[in-house]
Amino acid sequence: MSWRDGGNSSGPGGGHGHGHGHAGGNGHAGGNGTDRAGARGNVHGAGHRAWARHALTAPPRVNLTRAVPRWQRLRLPSALRAPLGYDAVGVTPWLGARVRRALPRSGCVFTDTERWWWIVPAGTDVGIAWPAVAHYAVGGVVATPGASRGGPCLTHWPEDNVPYTHPILLYVVLCDALGVPPDWSGPMAS
């Protein structure tokens, strides 16, 4: 019996030693054949299993720092009259800049970090199949990022004091900017 056998070893570097040798398993412990690394591994293994069990059964954590949208109505300046009521059509800033350059005339435009909003006469959603990227806000009530204190700001005041952008022109320019043909098959076509 050598000191490597650890007593009753099953083979070279064996792991079943029952004697008082110095090597069992990985050569670091003798006696009962349990090595220190294995003992430590079992302790960590049990802790890891408990953590994994908690991770599977614990309720999901809520991200409290995520901005919660608020709803607010875009307010036209009192100097501008809107006898037809108003709604708003919103697109991303990148698309908004393209649309703004292509329109021959714009009414009031409100902007924030997420959307550019054009004021259109109320009911403009009837008969127009706005592209999916456009957000139609009935009554000009829009979702604003929670971090945005005042919401969208009026960034374009029309020279003629008419708050509306012509909805058909806005629709055509938006479709052109997206590279999709306008859909004239809705109720307005009949």
Side-chain angles (χ1 to χ4, degrees):
M1 176 186 321
S2 76
W3 63 275
R4 292 178 190 242
D5 290 341
N8 237 351
S9 174
S10 61
H16 300 291
H18 296 291
H20 297 288
H22 299 289
N26 66 1
H28 289 290
N32 63 8
T34 305
D35 63 340
R36 285 182 222 156
R40 273 196 310 269
N42 285 342
V43 170
H44 290 302
H48 178 71
R49 283 191 299 275
W51 176 85
R53 205 170 29 252
H54 171 72
L56 293 174
T57 60
R61 294 184 182 185
V62 177
N63 183 357
L64 298 177
T65 60
R66 171 185 267 172
V68 177
R70 296 179 300 119
W71 294 92
Q72 74 176 65
R73 187 169 196 219
L74 300 174
R75 299 270 178 217
L76 294 177
S78 58
L80 299 180
R81 295 189 50 210
L84 303 176
Y86 64 92
D87 294 342
V89 177
V91 296
T92 62
W94 174 83
L95 188 54
R98 293 187 64 188
V99 169
R100 172 70 182 95
R101 285 191 300 270
L103 279 171
R105 181 204 167 274
S106 285
C108 291
V109 180
F110 290 81
T111 62
D112 63 20
T113 57
E114 295 185 4
R115 298 259 177 267
W116 286 27
W117 297 97
W118 275 265
I119 298 299
V120 293
T124 301
D125 57 333
V126 177
I128 296 180
W130 292 98
V133 298
H135 293 260
Y136 193 90
V138 174
V141 178
V142 301
T144 62
S148 176
R149 295 280 178 211
C153 298
L154 180 64
T155 54
H156 178 72
W157 184 311
E159 292 178 8
D160 58 8
N161 291 336
V162 176
Y164 305 117
T165 297
H166 194 290
I168 300 298
L169 289 177
L170 179 59
Y171 174 69
V172 169
V173 167
L174 180 58
C175 288
D176 186 57
L178 291 169
V180 298
D183 180 4
W184 302 116
S185 62
M188 286 185 70
S190 50

